[in-house]
Amino acid sequence: MRMGSYMKKMIVLVSVENVSAAEKVIKKAKAQLGLDKGRRVLKKDNTRILFSSGIIQKSFENVEKLAKFKDYDMIIIPVYGENVKAYPKIHDIKIYVNNQLGFSVFICAVRPNPADKDVDDAVENIFDIVTANIGL
């Protein structure tokens, strides 16, 4: 049974200040969920969860490129915070992925210049969301 048949698809936007913070959070979350190094897709039964390998597109015009992820049940994707002007606002991404692609949206915020505890807290949030929704 695909996740989409009994619950809405979900996207987790990991709101970060920079690439370094994103890499730390995504790498640790994947490891905690048992995803081997280099793999980006976690599968359980017919549910597919994608850990995006890079920061979201660099302009609002490119937000629609997220449509390439529409066949996944859950996506974990880092996105720059609102203070970085070149990137789309999280609000704009939320509207697009919710209304156009049918994903419910959860934002996992990571403080600027995160300490190890901040990274660990974000990883725990991602772990809880994933495990609660796919029954690991």
Side-chain angles (χ1 to χ4, degrees):
M1 175 185 268
R2 287 192 57 80
M3 177 188 280
S5 63
Y6 61 89
M7 74 172 284
K8 197 168 186 181
K9 298 185 298 181
M10 178 178 286
I11 189 165
V12 179
L13 298 177
V14 182
S15 175
V16 291
E17 182 185 44
N18 56 48
V19 174
S20 174
E23 287 175 346
K24 284 180 190 174
V25 171
I26 298 295
K27 183 177 178 181
K28 277 187 141 183
K30 285 169 53 175
Q32 189 167 342
L33 287 161
L35 199 59
D36 296 333
K37 185 177 181 179
R39 289 189 50 220
R40 296 175 45 204
V41 179
L42 177 66
K43 294 179 184 176
K44 181 171 191 259
D45 301 325
N46 289 328
T47 302
R48 296 183 332 143
I49 300 173
L50 173 71
F51 285 81
S52 177
S53 59
I55 295 290
I56 205 167
Q57 286 76 20
K58 295 183 179 181
S59 70
F60 179 70
E61 291 75 28
N62 291 332
V63 167
E64 291 184 4
K65 288 185 179 178
L66 288 171
K68 67 185 174 191
F69 300 134
K70 71 182 184 303
D71 293 332
Y72 288 93
D73 300 293
M74 184 182 292
I75 306 166
I76 317 297
I77 188 167
V79 57
Y80 277 132
E82 308 259 345
N83 59 333
V84 182
K85 302 291 184 225
Y87 286 77
K89 293 181 179 169
I90 291 174
H91 178 74
D92 295 330
I93 297 164
K94 278 175 58 179
I95 295 291
Y96 177 75
V97 296
N98 184 265
N99 293 346
Q100 301 300 314
L101 302 182
F103 285 93
S104 57
V105 180
F106 182 86
I107 295 179
C108 177
V110 181
R111 289 179 3 161
N113 301 312
D116 286 345
K117 182 178 181 343
D118 299 320
V119 170
D120 290 343
D121 288 347
V123 168
E124 196 63 36
N125 281 342
I126 293 168
F127 180 82
D128 290 346
I129 292 166
V130 171
T131 56
N133 284 288
I134 68 167
L136 282 177

